[in-house]
Amino acid sequence: MVHNLITNQASAREYSLSSAVDGIAPPDDFLGFGLGLRTDHFQDVLSTKPDLDWFEVVSENFMVDGGKPKHYLHAIRELYPMVMHGVSLSIGSTDPLNMQYLRQLKVLVNELQPQWISDHLCWTGVNQTNSHDLLPLPYNEEALNHVCDRVDQVQNFLGRPILLENLSSYITYKESEMSEWDFFNKVARRSGCNILLDINNIYVSARNHEFDPQDYLEGIDKNKVKQFHLAGHTDYGNYVIDTHDHPVADPVWALYKQALKRFGWVSTMIERDDNIPPLVELLAEVETARNIAYDTLGQLERVKQREIVT
């Protein structure tokens, strides 16, 4: 009988270096090129089993007992590696950590066994009130100490390191004493967490705050970056909003290429949260990301799921 060789409940998709600029090889935990899993595409994914390396799921959408979405989630998990991405950790808030949230998150982690877990370097509310937005922090020593202490608590509770993502921002604080990228580096180095670098968010914030996005890329510790996000935005001329309702824009693709030159092979995925198109259109964007990486860093040979005979 023929069985698919499964690793962590997901078909093994491995990469080996065929040729690359300066012999750049992918890291051992390189997942390849993925997509954010959305309910609109559940059935299409199961029916067509697209040639995709992995999926990212929004943690909060599945932190429930049972139900149809969980059924689809576990069925798709059997086919693909997954990572979990949250929006409610509120690591920068002055409210106590929400332990009920963390307990539910840990249950889902144990169910899915994701490759990693991520959330945002931000706060989402205070005084038990959720703003339903990702809000920036002042970049100073007081905030640094506060965030690192909370990251340490979260990682100890979950029993694994987390990734934190840079957000798109529209305000700054007079109390900031350092750049966002310096602050981010210090959080990652001191707490032991890793970085999810959202390329679109860098572009959006750079436009809004008039800094050079290349400075952000050059300022981030290249040994801490484990994942890239790519997404669309809405450009209003004088400012830009991170809306996730358009295809990735040309300037973001260009910045992605610069990020590849800086960081090398990094697991990369496409986010789309509104005006969601057919699955095939998003798969084409994933292929664009793959092709840009291959053109920039060299070709990788993809070894798809292996079969063993017993």
Side-chain angles (χ1 to χ4, degrees), residues 10 22 35 48 53 72 74 83 93 142 151 166 185 215 230 233 240 295 298 304 309:
D22 298 327
L35 180 65
T48 64
D53 297 326
Y72 280 111
H74 286 288
V83 304
S93 176
E142 182 181 8
V151 172
N166 59 298
N185 280 339
D215 289 343
L230 294 167
H233 58 256
V240 185
D295 289 344
K304 297 182 183 178
V309 178

Side-chain angles (χ1 to χ4, degrees), residues 48 95 117 150 155 164 174 180 195 223 230-231 283 295:
T48 64
D95 281 353
I117 311 159
R150 287 163 69 89
Q155 292 181 148
L164 290 176
K174 293 179 180 178
E180 179 180 329
I195 292 175
N223 296 314
L230 294 167
L283 294 176
D295 289 344

